[in-house]
Amino acid sequence: MAFLDPVTLQAGGVRLEPLGLHHAGPLADAMGDDDPAKEWFARTPSAADVASDIDAKLQAAAAGQWLPFAVLNEGTAVGSTSYLHPQSDIPSVEIGATWLGPAARRTGVNTVAKTLLLTHAFETWGCRRVAFRATWFNRASRAAIERLGATFEGRIRNDRVTREGLVTDSAQYSITDAEWPAVRRHLEYLSLRG
């Protein structure tokens, strides 16, 4: 399988399938009346903005910069996640642009989805490094990344613009291929705990 080729990944009831505009309605339903604007630092779309979020991701995919997925839980679309910023010569990739509807948050779906993405990156593509970034003020996302076993690499200053136009910082994390066996075992442990 070539680097960044579309793929469907599944474990148990969690399925990651290539994102398409046909997911817009179900993903808008997953967002319901959640107001992501209350978390000014996050890029989670509102139900009304899901179609434009998908369109932007598909444009990045067409340019070879992203591989976006719809996240399904027990057959129901609950969110989106992506591989982005690929570097095939290293090889390395970032996992990000993840959002889940309110009903799927803190349920274990994100851990399973990230395990699928990490396993594919390291074991199919042979990545030497997988990166994660979160807005500095997004403590929930940072905690979720750290829970996976990623190593904090530092604060990258003034590299993000929020939906309100504010310039802010990112927290940078990564997992390397040397760390992957222990991280994989840790993720198996987390899955057993639920």
Side-chain angles (χ1 to χ4, degrees), residues 1-9 16-20 53-54 56-71 80-87 92-98 113 116-117 120-121 124-125 127:
M1 168 165 292
F3 193 61
L4 229 59
D5 275 355
V7 63
T8 297
L9 306 171
L16 305 181
E17 62 186 38
L19 185 66
D53 180 73
I54 292 172
K57 289 175 180 175
L58 294 177
Q59 288 181 38
Q65 290 301 305
W66 285 42
L67 180 54
F69 296 90
V71 178
S80 178
T81 191
S82 300
Y83 287 120
L84 48 150
H85 309 302
Q87 294 181 292
S92 72
V93 71
E94 182 178 329
I95 295 174
T98 301
L116 288 166
L117 293 170
H120 190 73
T124 301
W125 290 338
C127 284

Side-chain angles (χ1 to χ4, degrees), residues 7 17 42 61-62 64 74-75 78 96 98 128 130 139 147 164 175:
V7 63
E17 62 186 38
E74 303 298 340
V78 297
T98 301
R128 293 174 59 194
V130 175
R139 297 197 190 284
R147 183 175 183 267
E164 298 169 346
I175 298 170

Side-chain angles (χ1 to χ4, degrees), residues 19-40:
L19 185 66
L21 288 174
H22 64 282
H23 292 110
L27 288 174
D29 291 344
M31 287 307 297
D33 60 0
D34 188 48
D35 180 13
K38 66 183 178 233
E39 294 181 337
W40 65 272

